[in-house]
Amino acid sequence: MATDAHEEGGLVFHPMDQFIVKPLFGGDQVHWYTITNVTLWMALAVVGIFVLMVLGTRGRAIVPSRIQSVAELAYGFVYKMVEDVTGKDAVRFFPYIFTLFLFIVFANFLGLIPGSFTTTSHFAVTAVLALAVFITVTVLGFVLNGTKFLGLFWVASAPLALRPILAIIELISYFVRPVSHCIRLAGNVMAGHAVIKVFAGFAAIAVISPVSVLAITAMYGLEVLVSFIQAYVFTILTCVYLKDALHPSH
């Protein structure tokens, strides 16, 4: 978390310090093989998914337990999303989409624990998720449709004179997808946590402390909602992009 300090009688707080990547076992150098706080909380997200979906449903019963009910609710929610947005022929890709949803949800909610690290606040993490979706959809589009996949960029319903211009616009917007896909998730998560830290810094001032505490409570409640909504938005956009690969002419 950010450090607070008093310098020349004023309060200085650093809301962005909570996003610093730090090695877990000492030192200040971070290499590709270094185990960091990001590594730890990503691993905890994976463990959480395993507990929910494997251990929680191991003793399946007609009358489900609470953890089984949560697992079934999550499964049904994402399955219906894939079926409604992408179509029944996209159900074969449900495991991948469901895994994405669960990872983002767990990473977001774990980041709300005081003293934790929010892995989805880093563009390095969200960029990998977005690029994985982009590459998967693009490769799948060409494998299933061949050169017909390029029809996604050719607006046949537009006047002939405008089609080349629209094709360029569509091509640019297609390659911008992974950028917007990752920035939307990381930006929203980072902004919310930074605002909470700013309010926490003002909580040290006695005069406005009650107002600051109320603001922190309200922002925390909002972040709980945002954590789920951003996972939902990322997943539903993945379904939309997958639909383009399966049905490029639509």
Side-chain angles (χ1 to χ4, degrees):
M1 297 294 289
T3 57
D4 296 335
H6 291 276
E7 295 179 0
E8 298 180 359
L11 179 67
V12 178
F13 41 84
H14 308 278
M16 303 307 288
D17 282 359
Q18 61 183 305
F19 306 116
I20 296 176
V21 178
K22 301 176 182 178
L24 286 182
F25 304 106
D28 54 1
Q29 296 295 321
V30 177
H31 304 283
W32 66 268
Y33 52 82
T34 304
I35 300 176
T36 64
N37 47 356
V38 180
T39 311
L40 172 64
W41 288 96
M42 287 179 68
L44 289 176
V46 174
V47 171
I49 295 171
F50 179 81
V51 171
L52 175 64
M53 300 306 300
V54 178
L55 299 184
T57 59
R58 184 172 54 181
R60 291 184 295 274
I62 297 177
V63 180
S65 61
R66 292 181 181 179
I67 190 169
Q68 182 183 334
S69 296
V70 173
E72 290 178 354
L73 184 64
Y75 184 98
F77 175 76
V78 179
Y79 188 93
K80 185 169 177 24
M81 183 198 306
V82 173
E83 195 174 46
D84 290 347
V85 175
T86 316
K88 291 185 177 180
D89 55 341
V91 170
R92 52 184 164 159
F93 304 106
F94 167 77
Y96 174 62
I97 298 173
F98 188 48
T99 302
L100 274 178
F101 175 79
L102 286 180
F103 176 78
I104 296 172
V105 163
F106 270 89
N108 287 350
F109 279 109
L110 284 174
L112 294 175
I113 300 174
S116 66
F117 188 91
T118 313
T119 55
T120 46
S121 65
H122 267 253
F123 293 109
V125 176
T126 58
V128 170
L129 297 176
L131 282 173
V133 172
F134 178 77
I135 294 172
T136 300
V137 168
T138 304
V139 171
L140 190 64
F142 280 108
V143 169
L144 296 179
N145 304 284
T147 55
K148 291 182 180 179
F149 181 64
L150 297 175
L152 183 66
F153 311 109
W154 190 254
V155 186
S157 59
L160 184 60
L162 292 178
R163 291 179 192 177
I165 299 174
L166 293 176
I168 296 173
I169 294 174
E170 288 292 331
L171 190 63
I172 293 173
S173 65
Y174 184 82
F175 282 97
V176 169
R177 281 181 177 182
V179 178
S180 62
H181 210 182
C182 76
I183 289 178
R184 182 183 292 105
L185 175 58
N188 279 283
V189 173
M190 181 186 295
H193 283 66
V195 170
I196 290 177
K197 183 57 183 179
V198 170
F199 284 132
F202 284 115
I205 303 175
V207 179
I208 60 174
S209 180
V211 177
S212 181
V213 171
L214 288 175
I216 292 171
T217 305
M219 278 301 303
Y220 192 89
L222 180 62
E223 280 303 293
V224 171
L225 185 62
V226 167
S227 295
F228 177 80
I229 290 176
Q230 288 305 314
Y232 171 77
V233 170
F234 193 98
T235 308
I236 202 168
L237 284 175
T238 301
C239 292
V240 171
Y241 298 158
L242 182 60
K243 183 179 180 181
D244 288 339
L246 298 177
H247 310 287
S249 59
H250 288 192

